[in-house]
Amino acid sequence: MTGSPLPPATRTEALSRLARFLPHAGRDYAARRNHDLPGHPHVSGLSPFLRHRLLTEAEVLEAVLGRHSLQAAEKFVQEVVWRTYWKGWLELRPAVWSDYRDGLDRALSDGRMADRLAAAEAGATGIDGFDAWIAELVETGYLHNHARMWLASIWIFTLRLPWEAGADFFLRHLLDGDPASNTLSWRWVAGLQTPGKHYLARADNIARYTDGRFSPKGLFTDAAPLSGPPHPPRGPVPGGDTPAPGMRTGILLTEEDLAPGFLLPLPGPAPVGHAVLLSAAGRSPRPVAEGVLGFTAAAARDAADRWADRLGPRGPVADDPAAVVDWAVAEGIDQIVTPYAPVGPAATALARLDRRLSREGIRLVRVLRDYDRTAWPHATHGFFRFKERIPEIVAGLQAER
Ligand SMILES: Cc1cc2nc3c(=O)[nH]c(=O)nc-3n(C[C@H](O)[C@H](O)[C@H](O)COP(=O)(O)OP(=O)(O)OC[C@H]3O[C@@H](n4cnc5c(N)ncnc54)[C@H](O)[C@@H]3O)c2cc1C
């Protein structure tokens, strides 16, 4: 491959990855998905696209279940649904995200570990595998799931670095960097998500699933799980808003959901225009990788271009809510309709926007998708209970179209 190691941030690329992967989504995936081999031949590589909903979970599940039985594709369906579960779990307990950000601030201000943190982030630890995964992540914006687990485990239990700093490093470099999947997966490796159960990377497992490419020495394999406060109590399930009929309406896209078709038709006149509010820079208090910022902005432009004829003229593509307010005022917009953004920087940016819009008497309407509405309320306990709901989630897919 020549040129940029980052994939094009387009729906066309997502669809071609899906088409290539479809024949392998059944028993092949179940048998070989844990092997981390160059080029990642046994997994879909769809996460950067699912992350921004250039392709939706519903579309991927429908395509896979159009080709394989639920039984044959059970493993793959479960993985896609893990993403949904993490989203729902965090949505019911948003304090876990703010606690993570507080913990990150504390970790970054602790000067005693600055040198060790810098060495880990530079991939200069001398640990076989670890340094290569850091380099791969920085260069390509992607890591195989097993490499993410090994890296996170070595970060926490062998290098003894704060898990929040590792989660932040991932969020700043992963094209699929996601507040729910990332934070909760790091917590799971650490033993905080399922209290008392942690994931310890072992050299023999790494050698086996990397085809002998890596076999690190000196991993700390009998560390105790981290401990932390109990999970915060569950909050209410979000219901989302409903657009009011007969108003001058603008559409707003965010990086959380670049498939605005479910917002249409509006209950009234067609949209007077659309804008994009970017928020990827808010993933971290530290600078987010250029590749991530570029991918996210390009993904948003791809969606806005494809939907331009149905969303009306293009307004600002900005990371400053003030630009969206100015546009809405200039266009005489009464309400801005946007996909509901789950916990994370986009939701924070929308909350800021909402405060400014309400000063101008403009309503911000956050519409929840049926897929999320169906699934999230079930993220009350562990994944094993959640996955019992897969038939119900899958049955609702037709209705989503
Ligand atoms: C420490 C750690 C951090 C992670 N951070 C992120 C993150 O920021 N964003 C992210 O999307 N995933 C994250 N994951 C989950 C998982 O590693 C990636 O979703 C997966 O590797 C993406 O590659 P793929 O698309 O080829 O996956 P496939 O195996 O082809 O799976 C298909 C889709 O299912 C979903 N999926 C698969 N595995 C998981 C999983 N374990 N948890 C949640 N969803 C899953 C993804 O949307 C993925 O695109 C993390 C896992 C770990 C252990």
Side-chain angles (χ1 to χ4, degrees):
M1 201 165 66
T2 55
S4 165
L6 303 186
T10 62
R11 179 168 164 86
T12 306
E13 172 69 14
L15 290 173
S16 92
R17 286 181 180 218
L18 177 61
R20 271 201 309 276
F21 177 70
L22 268 186
H24 310 287
R27 299 193 204 288
D28 268 14
Y29 180 82
R32 299 153 90 151
R33 72 185 194 287
N34 284 329
H35 293 264
D36 177 17
L37 303 178
H40 310 300
H42 303 305
V43 290
S44 70
L46 286 172
S47 54
F49 306 91
L50 280 166
R51 160 68 181 97
H52 302 294
R53 283 189 166 153
L54 274 180
L55 192 63
T56 65
E57 294 89 334
E59 287 178 302
V60 171
L61 293 174
E62 260 194 286
V64 166
L65 294 173
R67 173 96 179 213
H68 305 273
S69 67
L70 180 53
Q71 197 191 13
E74 188 187 11
K75 276 292 164 207
F76 184 75
V77 170
Q78 277 181 12
E79 294 306 329
V80 174
V81 167
W82 261 108
R83 167 180 168 73
T84 311
Y85 167 71
W86 285 142
K87 282 282 188 208
W89 196 95
L90 191 61
E91 206 53 32
L92 300 184
R93 301 159 187 87
V96 171
W97 170 252
S98 40
D99 290 350
Y100 152 70
R101 289 294 294 249
D102 292 346
L104 176 61
D105 288 344
R106 282 193 298 277
L108 295 179
S109 59
D110 182 349
R112 289 169 304 173
M113 73 185 89
D115 289 349
R116 287 187 303 116
L117 181 58
E121 294 192 340
T125 64
I127 299 176
D128 192 29
F130 185 95
D131 292 349
W133 297 318
I134 292 279
E136 182 182 356
L137 172 57
V138 170
E139 191 187 352
T140 69
Y142 178 84
L143 275 185
H144 183 279
N145 182 58
H146 228 155
R148 297 183 199 208
M149 289 163 61
W150 296 322
L151 191 159
S153 177
I154 295 170
W155 182 288
I156 297 167
F157 298 114
T158 297
L159 296 174
R160 304 255 163 188
L161 287 167
W163 72 269
E164 295 95 334
D168 177 62
F169 187 75
F170 269 29
L171 266 190
R172 286 184 288 122
H173 289 94
L174 282 170
L175 298 182
D176 64 32
D178 180 87
S181 288
N182 191 58
T183 312
L184 303 180
S185 295
W186 274 84
R187 283 170 52 88
W188 175 83
V189 171
L192 296 166
Q193 190 63 18
T194 312
K197 284 196 185 165
H198 57 335
Y199 176 77
L200 288 170
R202 292 180 188 280
D204 58 341
N205 178 270
I206 294 173
R208 176 173 170 209
Y209 286 104
T210 59
D211 226 2
R213 283 182 301 135
F214 305 116
S215 183
K217 299 206 171 33
L219 298 189
F220 200 38
T221 51
D222 55 6
L226 302 191
S227 57
H231 298 325
R234 282 200 308 273
V237 184
D241 310 320
T242 308
M247 296 187 116
R248 267 182 83 75
T249 302
I251 302 283
L252 182 68
L253 301 180
T254 70
E255 68 158 323
E256 288 295 337
D257 195 325
L258 296 172
F262 78 105
L263 302 174
L264 302 176
L266 294 170
V272 298
H274 68 281
V276 180
L277 183 59
L278 299 169
S279 56
R283 286 186 192 183
S284 168
R286 301 174 74 192
V288 171
E290 286 298 323
V292 168
L293 298 176
F295 185 89
T296 308
R301 284 204 164 81
D302 177 72
D305 287 347
R306 281 182 295 101
W307 285 89
D309 58 338
R310 285 151 289 180
L311 301 183
R314 173 85 43 89
V317 177
D319 53 14
D320 182 357
V324 178
V325 178
D326 291 346
W327 163 74
V329 170
E331 294 294 331
I333 285 170
D334 302 315
Q335 66 180 351
I336 292 185
V337 174
T338 189
Y340 182 92
V343 172
T348 305
L350 286 181
R352 224 175 287 138
L353 174 66
D354 194 13
R355 283 194 292 277
R356 286 166 177 247
L357 285 174
S358 59
R359 278 185 234 137
E360 305 293 338
I362 301 169
R363 205 174 153 230
L364 182 65
V365 181
R366 287 164 263 216
V367 183
L368 192 61
R369 263 179 194 277
D370 285 346
Y371 179 85
D372 298 334
R373 188 191 306 283
T374 304
W376 288 354
H378 301 303
T380 50
H381 294 77
F383 182 70
F384 289 92
R385 196 186 288 198
F386 186 80
K387 76 179 187 185
E388 305 292 315
R389 300 292 179 157
I390 286 178
E392 187 184 327
I393 294 170
V394 165
L397 295 178
Q398 287 297 341
E400 175 89 342
R401 289 224 126 180

